[in-house]
Amino acid sequence: MLYYDGMTNSSCGGPRLRRRYWFWMGGYVVAIFGGAFLVSGPPRPDAAHLAAAIIPLVPLCLALNETFRAVRAMDELQRRIHTDALLLSLLGTIAIVLGVGLLQFTAGIPLFGVFWLWIPICLLYALGVFLGQRRYA
Amino acid sequence: MKNSLRVLRAEREWSQADLAEHLSVSRQTINALEVGKYDPSLALAFKIARMFERSIHDIFTDEENPRA
């Protein structure tokens, strides 16, 4: 079945994009562990530590670009499902951040790093896609 | 919005997958259109109309104003 740029499979933009996505995600993981291996010890704001933190962003951004291209390659219903899921993810994450922030101010629960925000973002996105697929099944 | 997609498809003895392939969309999109869960974009509606050699009005009916 042909889609906008000659790919197969409507759900995530085809195997070619998926392969490229996993290639760049693999590069991201290698860059993370490679950086951790090369610059050990406590965190310091020196050039080596900054590079170890920033270099993995390159393959990550390329993987995110593949995600963007995959969504654009989908047909209009799939795109709607995924953009609705992104909206759920965004709004849900805002609610979680505000809720946890107030809990930190009022109840004194421990602070947590923004690094962990990817978990609710991804979970809510997956939930949104699941609900959308069920809605239009 | 109502549509006669299922009837037109049956006239040509096409499966949902066949129609999906002709329109370059997923089978899920065709199913959602046929059961009225999803209204197509104007571009897709024109594409469907061209494919069946009908006008958009012949295929899609506004439920709030059926004569429109």
Side-chain angles (χ1 to χ4, degrees):
Chain A
M1 191 180 297
L2 290 175
Y3 288 93
Y4 293 103
D5 55 353
M7 291 171 300
T8 57
N9 188 336
S10 67
S11 61
C12 47
R16 196 153 47 96
L17 282 182
R18 209 178 310 161
R19 238 185 347 259
R20 283 204 299 250
Y21 171 80
W22 286 114
F23 173 78
W24 292 121
M25 282 308 283
Y28 175 63
V29 171
V30 168
I32 289 275
F33 284 102
F37 178 74
L38 291 174
V39 286
S40 52
R44 287 194 307 271
D46 60 19
H49 282 77
L50 285 174
I54 290 170
I55 286 172
L57 290 179
V58 176
L60 179 66
C61 287
L62 291 167
L64 296 181
N65 182 49
E66 295 302 331
T67 308
F68 188 72
R69 291 180 64 185
V71 172
R72 292 200 65 174
M74 290 171 182
D75 76 358
E76 59 183 55
L77 176 59
Q78 293 298 324
R79 222 166 28 231
R80 170 181 286 195
I81 289 170
H82 282 265
T83 47
D84 284 357
L86 283 171
L87 189 62
L88 174 71
S89 172
L90 173 69
L91 298 178
T93 304
I94 288 172
I96 288 169
V97 167
L98 291 176
V100 171
L102 281 175
L103 280 171
Q104 286 171 343
F105 283 124
T106 58
I109 68 163
L111 297 172
F112 71 96
V114 289
F115 175 79
W116 300 107
L117 276 178
W118 70 269
I119 296 173
I121 290 171
C122 289
L123 286 177
L124 288 168
Y125 179 64
L127 174 69
V129 171
F130 173 74
L131 293 174
Q133 295 288 0
R134 273 192 55 180
R135 181 179 176 193
Y136 295 108
Chain B
M1 190 160 59
K2 280 183 173 174
N3 67 72
S4 55
L5 211 54
R6 191 185 294 269
V7 176
L8 292 167
R9 179 172 62 76
E11 282 174 3
R12 296 195 177 201
E13 297 180 343
W14 281 353
S15 65
Q16 288 186 340
D18 293 333
L19 181 56
E21 191 165 349
H22 280 90
L23 293 170
S24 300
V25 297
S26 65
R27 196 197 60 79
Q28 185 186 15
T29 302
I30 299 300
N31 185 60
L33 286 168
E34 286 188 357
V35 298
K37 286 183 179 175
Y38 175 65
D39 293 332
S41 68
L42 201 52
L44 181 57
F46 270 114
K47 202 170 179 180
I48 291 168
R50 269 199 309 274
M51 167 156 296
F52 289 112
E53 296 170 330
R54 307 280 179 102
S55 72
I56 286 182
H57 283 287
D58 291 339
I59 302 173
F60 297 98
T61 313
D62 181 5
E63 281 178 298
E64 290 178 13
N65 188 9
R67 284 182 296 177

mmCIF file with all atom_site columns, all heavy atoms in Angstrom, chain A residues 36-59:
data_model
loop_
_atom_site.group_PDB
_atom_site.id
_atom_site.type_symbol
_atom_site.label_atom_id
_atom_site.label_alt_id
_atom_site.label_comp_id
_atom_site.label_asym_id
_atom_site.label_entity_id
_atom_site.label_seq_id
_atom_site.pdbx_PDB_ins_code
_atom_site.Cartn_x
_atom_site.Cartn_y
_atom_site.Cartn_z
_atom_site.occupancy
_atom_site.B_iso_or_equiv
_atom_site.pdbx_formal_charge
_atom_site.auth_seq_id
_atom_site.auth_comp_id
_atom_site.auth_asym_id
_atom_site.auth_atom_id
_atom_site.pdbx_PDB_model_num
ATOM 1   N N   . ALA A 1 36 ? 29.274 8.263  29.481 1.00 0.00 ? 36 ALA A N   1
ATOM 2   C CA  . ALA A 1 36 ? 29.385 7.879  30.892 1.00 0.00 ? 36 ALA A CA  1
ATOM 3   C C   . ALA A 1 36 ? 30.683 7.116  31.139 1.00 0.00 ? 36 ALA A C   1
ATOM 4   O O   . ALA A 1 36 ? 31.308 7.250  32.198 1.00 0.00 ? 36 ALA A O   1
ATOM 5   C CB  . ALA A 1 36 ? 28.192 7.018  31.297 1.00 0.00 ? 36 ALA A CB  1
ATOM 6   N N   . PHE A 1 37 ? 31.098 6.329  30.134 1.00 0.00 ? 37 PHE A N   1
ATOM 7   C CA  . PHE A 1 37 ? 32.340 5.556  30.272 1.00 0.00 ? 37 PHE A CA  1
ATOM 8   C C   . PHE A 1 37 ? 33.560 6.471  30.228 1.00 0.00 ? 37 PHE A C   1
ATOM 9   O O   . PHE A 1 37 ? 34.512 6.302  30.996 1.00 0.00 ? 37 PHE A O   1
ATOM 10  C CB  . PHE A 1 37 ? 32.400 4.516  29.150 1.00 0.00 ? 37 PHE A CB  1
ATOM 11  C CG  . PHE A 1 37 ? 33.650 3.696  29.146 1.00 0.00 ? 37 PHE A CG  1
ATOM 12  C CD1 . PHE A 1 37 ? 33.849 2.694  30.100 1.00 0.00 ? 37 PHE A CD1 1
ATOM 13  C CD2 . PHE A 1 37 ? 34.642 3.924  28.203 1.00 0.00 ? 37 PHE A CD2 1
ATOM 14  C CE1 . PHE A 1 37 ? 35.018 1.937  30.099 1.00 0.00 ? 37 PHE A CE1 1
ATOM 15  C CE2 . PHE A 1 37 ? 35.807 3.167  28.197 1.00 0.00 ? 37 PHE A CE2 1
ATOM 16  C CZ  . PHE A 1 37 ? 36.001 2.172  29.147 1.00 0.00 ? 37 PHE A CZ  1
ATOM 17  N N   . LEU A 1 38 ? 33.515 7.462  29.335 1.00 0.00 ? 38 LEU A N   1
ATOM 18  C CA  . LEU A 1 38 ? 34.686 8.327  29.139 1.00 0.00 ? 38 LEU A CA  1
ATOM 19  C C   . LEU A 1 38 ? 34.843 9.363  30.248 1.00 0.00 ? 38 LEU A C   1
ATOM 20  O O   . LEU A 1 38 ? 35.963 9.716  30.619 1.00 0.00 ? 38 LEU A O   1
ATOM 21  C CB  . LEU A 1 38 ? 34.590 9.031  27.771 1.00 0.00 ? 38 LEU A CB  1
ATOM 22  C CG  . LEU A 1 38 ? 34.747 8.111  26.554 1.00 0.00 ? 38 LEU A CG  1
ATOM 23  C CD1 . LEU A 1 38 ? 34.502 8.872  25.259 1.00 0.00 ? 38 LEU A CD1 1
ATOM 24  C CD2 . LEU A 1 38 ? 36.137 7.472  26.539 1.00 0.00 ? 38 LEU A CD2 1
ATOM 25  N N   . VAL A 1 39 ? 33.729 9.885  30.743 1.00 0.00 ? 39 VAL A N   1
ATOM 26  C CA  . VAL A 1 39 ? 33.835 10.898 31.811 1.00 0.00 ? 39 VAL A CA  1
ATOM 27  C C   . VAL A 1 39 ? 33.184 10.354 33.081 1.00 0.00 ? 39 VAL A C   1
ATOM 28  O O   . VAL A 1 39 ? 32.005 10.548 33.324 1.00 0.00 ? 39 VAL A O   1
ATOM 29  C CB  . VAL A 1 39 ? 33.201 12.252 31.400 1.00 0.00 ? 39 VAL A CB  1
ATOM 30  C CG1 . VAL A 1 39 ? 34.075 12.979 30.422 1.00 0.00 ? 39 VAL A CG1 1
ATOM 31  C CG2 . VAL A 1 39 ? 31.820 12.067 30.837 1.00 0.00 ? 39 VAL A CG2 1
ATOM 32  N N   . SER A 1 40 ? 33.948 9.654  33.833 1.00 0.00 ? 40 SER A N   1
ATOM 33  C CA  . SER A 1 40 ? 33.429 9.106  35.083 1.00 0.00 ? 40 SER A CA  1
ATOM 34  C C   . SER A 1 40 ? 33.657 10.125 36.212 1.00 0.00 ? 40 SER A C   1
ATOM 35  O O   . SER A 1 40 ? 34.225 11.194 36.001 1.00 0.00 ? 40 SER A O   1
ATOM 36  C CB  . SER A 1 40 ? 34.134 7.781  35.397 1.00 0.00 ? 40 SER A CB  1
ATOM 37  O OG  . SER A 1 40 ? 35.516 7.983  35.347 1.00 0.00 ? 40 SER A OG  1
ATOM 38  N N   . GLY A 1 41 ? 33.208 9.799  37.374 1.00 0.00 ? 41 GLY A N   1
ATOM 39  C CA  . GLY A 1 41 ? 33.391 10.687 38.524 1.00 0.00 ? 41 GLY A CA  1
ATOM 40  C C   . GLY A 1 41 ? 32.192 11.585 38.736 1.00 0.00 ? 41 GLY A C   1
ATOM 41  O O   . GLY A 1 41 ? 31.208 11.521 38.001 1.00 0.00 ? 41 GLY A O   1
ATOM 42  N N   . PRO A 1 42 ? 32.273 12.438 39.762 1.00 0.00 ? 42 PRO A N   1
ATOM 43  C CA  . PRO A 1 42 ? 31.123 13.298 40.087 1.00 0.00 ? 42 PRO A CA  1
ATOM 44  C C   . PRO A 1 42 ? 30.866 14.342 38.990 1.00 0.00 ? 42 PRO A C   1
ATOM 45  O O   . PRO A 1 42 ? 31.787 14.705 38.265 1.00 0.00 ? 42 PRO A O   1
ATOM 46  C CB  . PRO A 1 42 ? 31.564 13.986 41.391 1.00 0.00 ? 42 PRO A CB  1
ATOM 47  C CG  . PRO A 1 42 ? 33.042 13.897 41.407 1.00 0.00 ? 42 PRO A CG  1
ATOM 48  C CD  . PRO A 1 42 ? 33.417 12.658 40.656 1.00 0.00 ? 42 PRO A CD  1
ATOM 49  N N   . PRO A 1 43 ? 29.621 14.843 38.892 1.00 0.00 ? 43 PRO A N   1
ATOM 50  C CA  . PRO A 1 43 ? 29.311 15.847 37.865 1.00 0.00 ? 43 PRO A CA  1
ATOM 51  C C   . PRO A 1 43 ? 30.148 17.115 38.043 1.00 0.00 ? 43 PRO A C   1
ATOM 52  O O   . PRO A 1 43 ? 30.314 17.601 39.166 1.00 0.00 ? 43 PRO A O   1
ATOM 53  C CB  . PRO A 1 43 ? 27.825 16.145 38.106 1.00 0.00 ? 43 PRO A CB  1
ATOM 54  C CG  . PRO A 1 43 ? 27.305 15.018 38.904 1.00 0.00 ? 43 PRO A CG  1
ATOM 55  C CD  . PRO A 1 43 ? 28.449 14.479 39.694 1.00 0.00 ? 43 PRO A CD  1
ATOM 56  N N   . ARG A 1 44 ? 30.707 17.607 36.947 1.00 0.00 ? 44 ARG A N   1
ATOM 57  C CA  . ARG A 1 44 ? 31.475 18.859 36.959 1.00 0.00 ? 44 ARG A CA  1
ATOM 58  C C   . ARG A 1 44 ? 31.131 19.634 35.690 1.00 0.00 ? 44 ARG A C   1
ATOM 59  O O   . ARG A 1 44 ? 30.899 19.021 34.653 1.00 0.00 ? 44 ARG A O   1
ATOM 60  C CB  . ARG A 1 44 ? 32.985 18.559 36.962 1.00 0.00 ? 44 ARG A CB  1
ATOM 61  C CG  . ARG A 1 44 ? 33.542 18.041 38.270 1.00 0.00 ? 44 ARG A CG  1
ATOM 62  C CD  . ARG A 1 44 ? 35.078 18.113 38.253 1.00 0.00 ? 44 ARG A CD  1
ATOM 63  N NE  . ARG A 1 44 ? 35.658 17.461 37.093 1.00 0.00 ? 44 ARG A NE  1
ATOM 64  C CZ  . ARG A 1 44 ? 35.980 16.170 37.052 1.00 0.00 ? 44 ARG A CZ  1
ATOM 65  N NH1 . ARG A 1 44 ? 35.763 15.408 38.111 1.00 0.00 ? 44 ARG A NH1 1
ATOM 66  N NH2 . ARG A 1 44 ? 36.516 15.645 35.984 1.00 0.00 ? 44 ARG A NH2 1
ATOM 67  N N   . PRO A 1 45 ? 31.127 20.970 35.795 1.00 0.00 ? 45 PRO A N   1
ATOM 68  C CA  . PRO A 1 45 ? 30.782 21.738 34.583 1.00 0.00 ? 45 PRO A CA  1
ATOM 69  C C   . PRO A 1 45 ? 31.981 21.967 33.669 1.00 0.00 ? 45 PRO A C   1
ATOM 70  O O   . PRO A 1 45 ? 32.178 23.075 33.180 1.00 0.00 ? 45 PRO A O   1
ATOM 71  C CB  . PRO A 1 45 ? 30.239 23.050 35.163 1.00 0.00 ? 45 PRO A CB  1
ATOM 72  C CG  . PRO A 1 45 ? 30.975 23.221 36.451 1.00 0.00 ? 45 PRO A CG  1
ATOM 73  C CD  . PRO A 1 45 ? 31.265 21.844 36.979 1.00 0.00 ? 45 PRO A CD  1
ATOM 74  N N   . ASP A 1 46 ? 32.806 20.965 33.458 1.00 0.00 ? 46 ASP A N   1
ATOM 75  C CA  . ASP A 1 46 ? 33.933 21.153 32.531 1.00 0.00 ? 46 ASP A CA  1
ATOM 76  C C   . ASP A 1 46 ? 33.526 20.722 31.112 1.00 0.00 ? 46 ASP A C   1
ATOM 77  O O   . ASP A 1 46 ? 32.447 20.172 30.892 1.00 0.00 ? 46 ASP A O   1
ATOM 78  C CB  . ASP A 1 46 ? 35.175 20.403 33.015 1.00 0.00 ? 46 ASP A CB  1
ATOM 79  C CG  . ASP A 1 46 ? 34.937 18.911 33.140 1.00 0.00 ? 46 ASP A CG  1
ATOM 80  O OD1 . ASP A 1 46 ? 33.968 18.416 32.532 1.00 0.00 ? 46 ASP A OD1 1
ATOM 81  O OD2 . ASP A 1 46 ? 35.701 18.246 33.862 1.00 0.00 ? 46 ASP A OD2 1
ATOM 82  N N   . ALA A 1 47 ? 34.429 20.970 30.172 1.00 0.00 ? 47 ALA A N   1
ATOM 83  C CA  . ALA A 1 47 ? 34.098 20.748 28.756 1.00 0.00 ? 47 ALA A CA  1
ATOM 84  C C   . ALA A 1 47 ? 33.770 19.280 28.477 1.00 0.00 ? 47 ALA A C   1
ATOM 85  O O   . ALA A 1 47 ? 32.829 18.978 27.726 1.00 0.00 ? 47 ALA A O   1
ATOM 86  C CB  . ALA A 1 47 ? 35.266 21.206 27.882 1.00 0.00 ? 47 ALA A CB  1
ATOM 87  N N   . ALA A 1 48 ? 34.516 18.377 29.054 1.00 0.00 ? 48 ALA A N   1
ATOM 88  C CA  . ALA A 1 48 ? 34.304 16.948 28.786 1.00 0.00 ? 48 ALA A CA  1
ATOM 89  C C   . ALA A 1 48 ? 32.926 16.505 29.274 1.00 0.00 ? 48 ALA A C   1
ATOM 90  O O   . ALA A 1 48 ? 32.208 15.778 28.570 1.00 0.00 ? 48 ALA A O   1
ATOM 91  C CB  . ALA A 1 48 ? 35.396 16.129 29.466 1.00 0.00 ? 48 ALA A CB  1
ATOM 92  N N   . HIS A 1 49 ? 32.558 16.940 30.470 1.00 0.00 ? 49 HIS A N   1
ATOM 93  C CA  . HIS A 1 49 ? 31.254 16.546 31.012 1.00 0.00 ? 49 HIS A CA  1
ATOM 94  C C   . HIS A 1 49 ? 30.110 17.194 30.221 1.00 0.00 ? 49 HIS A C   1
ATOM 95  O O   . HIS A 1 49 ? 29.073 16.565 29.993 1.00 0.00 ? 49 HIS A O   1
ATOM 96  C CB  . HIS A 1 49 ? 31.158 16.920 32.504 1.00 0.00 ? 49 HIS A CB  1
ATOM 97  C CG  . HIS A 1 49 ? 31.898 15.963 33.385 1.00 0.00 ? 49 HIS A CG  1
ATOM 98  N ND1 . HIS A 1 49 ? 33.270 15.989 33.520 1.00 0.00 ? 49 HIS A ND1 1
ATOM 99  C CD2 . HIS A 1 49 ? 31.445 14.941 34.159 1.00 0.00 ? 49 HIS A CD2 1
ATOM 100 C CE1 . HIS A 1 49 ? 33.644 15.031 34.350 1.00 0.00 ? 49 HIS A CE1 1
ATOM 101 N NE2 . HIS A 1 49 ? 32.554 14.379 34.761 1.00 0.00 ? 49 HIS A NE2 1
ATOM 102 N N   . LEU A 1 50 ? 30.311 18.452 29.828 1.00 0.00 ? 50 LEU A N   1
ATOM 103 C CA  . LEU A 1 50 ? 29.275 19.117 29.013 1.00 0.00 ? 50 LEU A CA  1
ATOM 104 C C   . LEU A 1 50 ? 29.115 18.407 27.678 1.00 0.00 ? 50 LEU A C   1
ATOM 105 O O   . LEU A 1 50 ? 27.993 18.169 27.214 1.00 0.00 ? 50 LEU A O   1
ATOM 106 C CB  . LEU A 1 50 ? 29.645 20.586 28.786 1.00 0.00 ? 50 LEU A CB  1
ATOM 107 C CG  . LEU A 1 50 ? 29.457 21.520 29.985 1.00 0.00 ? 50 LEU A CG  1
ATOM 108 C CD1 . LEU A 1 50 ? 30.008 22.914 29.669 1.00 0.00 ? 50 LEU A CD1 1
ATOM 109 C CD2 . LEU A 1 50 ? 27.982 21.624 30.349 1.00 0.00 ? 50 LEU A CD2 1
ATOM 110 N N   . ALA A 1 51 ? 30.251 18.023 27.069 1.00 0.00 ? 51 ALA A N   1
ATOM 111 C CA  . ALA A 1 51 ? 30.195 17.318 25.783 1.00 0.00 ? 51 ALA A CA  1
ATOM 112 C C   . ALA A 1 51 ? 29.495 15.973 25.945 1.00 0.00 ? 51 ALA A C   1
ATOM 113 O O   . ALA A 1 51 ? 28.681 15.585 25.098 1.00 0.00 ? 51 ALA A O   1
ATOM 114 C CB  . ALA A 1 51 ? 31.611 17.122 25.239 1.00 0.00 ? 51 ALA A CB  1
ATOM 115 N N   . ALA A 1 52 ? 29.795 15.270 27.043 1.00 0.00 ? 52 ALA A N   1
ATOM 116 C CA  . ALA A 1 52 ? 29.163 13.958 27.272 1.00 0.00 ? 52 ALA A CA  1
ATOM 117 C C   . ALA A 1 52 ? 27.652 14.091 27.422 1.00 0.00 ? 52 ALA A C   1
ATOM 118 O O   . ALA A 1 52 ? 26.902 13.166 27.096 1.00 0.00 ? 52 ALA A O   1
ATOM 119 C CB  . ALA A 1 52 ? 29.764 13.311 28.515 1.00 0.00 ? 52 ALA A CB  1
ATOM 120 N N   . ALA A 1 53 ? 27.211 15.256 27.915 1.00 0.00 ? 53 ALA A N   1
ATOM 121 C CA  . ALA A 1 53 ? 25.768 15.465 28.078 1.00 0.00 ? 53 ALA A CA  1
ATOM 122 C C   . ALA A 1 53 ? 25.110 15.944 26.789 1.00 0.00 ? 53 ALA A C   1
ATOM 123 O O   . ALA A 1 53 ? 23.954 15.617 26.520 1.00 0.00 ? 53 ALA A O   1
ATOM 124 C CB  . ALA A 1 53 ? 25.523 16.481 29.193 1.00 0.00 ? 53 ALA A CB  1
ATOM 125 N N   . ILE A 1 54 ? 25.875 16.719 26.006 1.00 0.00 ? 54 ILE A N   1
ATOM 126 C CA  . ILE A 1 54 ? 25.258 17.358 24.835 1.00 0.00 ? 54 ILE A CA  1
ATOM 127 C C   . ILE A 1 54 ? 25.360 16.490 23.580 1.00 0.00 ? 54 ILE A C   1
ATOM 128 O O   . ILE A 1 54 ? 24.418 16.456 22.781 1.00 0.00 ? 54 ILE A O   1
ATOM 129 C CB  . ILE A 1 54 ? 25.901 18.752 24.600 1.00 0.00 ? 54 ILE A CB  1
ATOM 130 C CG1 . ILE A 1 54 ? 25.453 19.682 25.720 1.00 0.00 ? 54 ILE A CG1 1
ATOM 131 C CG2 . ILE A 1 54 ? 25.490 19.331 23.252 1.00 0.00 ? 54 ILE A CG2 1
ATOM 132 C CD1 . ILE A 1 54 ? 26.180 21.002 25.759 1.00 0.00 ? 54 ILE A CD1 1
ATOM 133 N N   . ILE A 1 55 ? 26.448 15.758 23.415 1.00 0.00 ? 55 ILE A N   1
ATOM 134 C CA  . ILE A 1 55 ? 26.631 14.956 22.184 1.00 0.00 ? 55 ILE A CA  1
ATOM 135 C C   . ILE A 1 55 ? 25.488 13.960 21.954 1.00 0.00 ? 55 ILE A C   1
ATOM 136 O O   . ILE A 1 55 ? 25.021 13.815 20.817 1.00 0.00 ? 55 ILE A O   1
ATOM 137 C CB  . ILE A 1 55 ? 28.022 14.269 22.197 1.00 0.00 ? 55 ILE A CB  1
ATOM 138 C CG1 . ILE A 1 55 ? 29.096 15.323 21.912 1.00 0.00 ? 55 ILE A CG1 1
ATOM 139 C CG2 . ILE A 1 55 ? 28.105 13.140 21.157 1.00 0.00 ? 55 ILE A CG2 1
ATOM 140 C CD1 . ILE A 1 55 ? 30.525 14.854 22.073 1.00 0.00 ? 55 ILE A CD1 1
ATOM 141 N N   . PRO A 1 56 ? 24.974 13.277 23.002 1.00 0.00 ? 56 PRO A N   1
ATOM 142 C CA  . PRO A 1 56 ? 23.846 12.353 22.748 1.00 0.00 ? 56 PRO A CA  1
ATOM 143 C C   . PRO A 1 56 ? 22.603 13.041 22.186 1.00 0.00 ? 56 PRO A C   1
ATOM 144 O O   . PRO A 1 56 ? 21.739 12.374 21.605 1.00 0.00 ? 56 PRO A O   1
ATOM 145 C CB  . PRO A 1 56 ? 23.555 11.760 24.134 1.00 0.00 ? 56 PRO A CB  1
ATOM 146 C CG  . PRO A 1 56 ? 24.817 11.909 24.890 1.00 0.00 ? 56 PRO A CG  1
ATOM 147 C CD  . PRO A 1 56 ? 25.442 13.165 24.390 1.00 0.00 ? 56 PRO A CD  1
ATOM 148 N N   . LEU A 1 57 ? 22.526 14.370 22.353 1.00 0.00 ? 57 LEU A N   1
ATOM 149 C CA  . LEU A 1 57 ? 21.360 15.071 21.808 1.00 0.00 ? 57 LEU A CA  1
ATOM 150 C C   . LEU A 1 57 ? 21.323 15.029 20.283 1.00 0.00 ? 57 LEU A C   1
ATOM 151 O O   . LEU A 1 57 ? 20.249 15.135 19.684 1.00 0.00 ? 57 LEU A O   1
ATOM 152 C CB  . LEU A 1 57 ? 21.349 16.530 22.276 1.00 0.00 ? 57 LEU A CB  1
ATOM 153 C CG  . LEU A 1 57 ? 21.049 16.762 23.758 1.00 0.00 ? 57 LEU A CG  1
ATOM 154 C CD1 . LEU A 1 57 ? 21.089 18.240 24.075 1.00 0.00 ? 57 LEU A CD1 1
ATOM 155 C CD2 . LEU A 1 57 ? 19.679 16.189 24.110 1.00 0.00 ? 57 LEU A CD2 1
ATOM 156 N N   . VAL A 1 58 ? 22.490 14.868 19.655 1.00 0.00 ? 58 VAL A N   1
ATOM 157 C CA  . VAL A 1 58 ? 22.528 14.855 18.183 1.00 0.00 ? 58 VAL A CA  1
ATOM 158 C C   . VAL A 1 58 ? 21.753 13.647 17.632 1.00 0.00 ? 58 VAL A C   1
ATOM 159 O O   . VAL A 1 58 ? 20.789 13.828 16.870 1.00 0.00 ? 58 VAL A O   1
ATOM 160 C CB  . VAL A 1 58 ? 23.987 14.901 17.667 1.00 0.00 ? 58 VAL A CB  1
ATOM 161 C CG1 . VAL A 1 58 ? 24.018 14.782 16.149 1.00 0.00 ? 58 VAL A CG1 1
ATOM 162 C CG2 . VAL A 1 58 ? 24.673 16.181 18.140 1.00 0.00 ? 58 VAL A CG2 1
ATOM 163 N N   . PRO A 1 59 ? 22.135 12.390 18.027 1.00 0.00 ? 59 PRO A N   1
ATOM 164 C CA  . PRO A 1 59 ? 21.325 11.265 17.520 1.00 0.00 ? 59 PRO A CA  1
ATOM 165 C C   . PRO A 1 59 ? 19.888 11.295 18.033 1.00 0.00 ? 59 PRO A C   1
ATOM 166 O O   . PRO A 1 59 ? 18.969 10.871 17.321 1.00 0.00 ? 59 PRO A O   1
ATOM 167 C CB  . PRO A 1 59 ? 22.065 10.022 18.029 1.00 0.00 ? 59 PRO A CB  1
ATOM 168 C CG  . PRO A 1 59 ? 22.951 10.493 19.107 1.00 0.00 ? 59 PRO A CG  1
ATOM 169 C CD  . PRO A 1 59 ? 23.275 11.916 18.804 1.00 0.00 ? 59 PRO A CD  1
#
